[in-house]
Amino acid sequence: MALPPPGTSPSRPGGGAVALAALLWLVGVEPLVEKADALERRVSKQEMNLQWMQKTSAEIIRLRGQDAANLAPPRSGSLLTMVDRSAKKTGISQAVKRIEPTSDGGVQVWLEGATFDNLLLWLGDLRGKGADATSISIERQQTAGRVNAKATLGWL
């Protein structure tokens, strides 16, 4: 058997090719495989979210379709009286400057120097009793947290 010339190593067929293939796998293919796996997990999670949303939206549609009369609170008394009582209950009555009925059975209310938080409580209380603002205009005052407002209210 002949020995290789001095200063050279015996040749191993395919050793360089194996090293090159391993390097290409580690640098190029393996990160792509990991990215694909991560994307598959993400798609699976999103599909579960979609199924939940579809189920929930069907429930919302079903609930909205129920008879509105069963869901709305009963109307007791006049809207004008209810608005006045609610204003006293929520601490906004001092700010009410004028209340007058409208031709369509609603009520217009003018407020000056009302606390914004109490205004929101008042509107929430009215909504719980079956009334809602059909239009509202709110102006901020220089005093922090105080507003002037004009609201047109009606039954839900």
Side-chain angles (χ1 to χ4, degrees), residues 52-64:
W52 176 82
M53 284 187 239
Q54 288 171 337
K55 179 183 171 190
T56 304
S57 69
E59 179 71 8
I60 290 170
I61 290 168
R62 185 185 68 75
L63 290 173
R64 282 186 179 168

Side-chain angles (χ1 to χ4, degrees), residues 95-114:
V96 175
K97 296 304 172 194
R98 193 164 101 200
I99 301 177
E100 65 182 46
T102 61
S103 60
D104 61 354
V107 174
Q108 277 193 325
V109 183
W110 287 263
L111 301 116
E112 292 180 10

Side-chain angles (χ1 to χ4, degrees), residues 40-56:
E40 283 181 24
R41 287 190 301 274
R42 188 172 173 193
V43 166
S44 175
K45 201 176 203 182
Q46 294 298 330
E47 285 174 343
M48 289 185 341
N49 284 341
L50 175 62
Q51 289 173 358
W52 176 82
M53 284 187 239
Q54 288 171 337
K55 179 183 171 190
T56 304

Side-chain angles (χ1 to χ4, degrees), residues 63-127:
L63 290 173
R64 282 186 179 168
Q66 288 181 348
D67 186 10
N70 291 337
L71 299 176
R75 297 179 185 177
S76 60
S78 76
L79 180 60
L80 190 63
T81 304
M82 196 252 306
V83 167
D84 185 53
R85 285 184 184 152
S86 178
K88 289 176 184 169
K89 175 183 171 187
T90 57
I92 203 167
S93 62
Q94 314 88 305
V96 175
K97 296 304 172 194
R98 193 164 101 200
I99 301 177
E100 65 182 46
T102 61
S103 60
D104 61 354
V107 174
Q108 277 193 325
V109 183
W110 287 263
L111 301 116
E112 292 180 10
T115 304
F116 184 71
D117 291 345
N118 286 357
L119 174 65
L120 294 180
L121 289 172
W122 177 61
L123 292 171
D125 185 60
L126 290 172
R127 185 152 179 90

Side-chain angles (χ1 to χ4, degrees), residues 4 14 22-23 32-34 48 54 71 90-91 94 139-140:
L23 180 65
L32 291 176
V33 170
E34 289 176 8
M48 289 185 341
Q54 288 171 337
L71 299 176
T90 57
Q94 314 88 305
E139 286 181 10
R140 179 173 46 168

Side-chain angles (χ1 to χ4, degrees), residues 15-27 29:
V18 170
L20 180 61
L23 180 65
L24 286 174
W25 176 263
L26 291 173
V27 173
V29 177

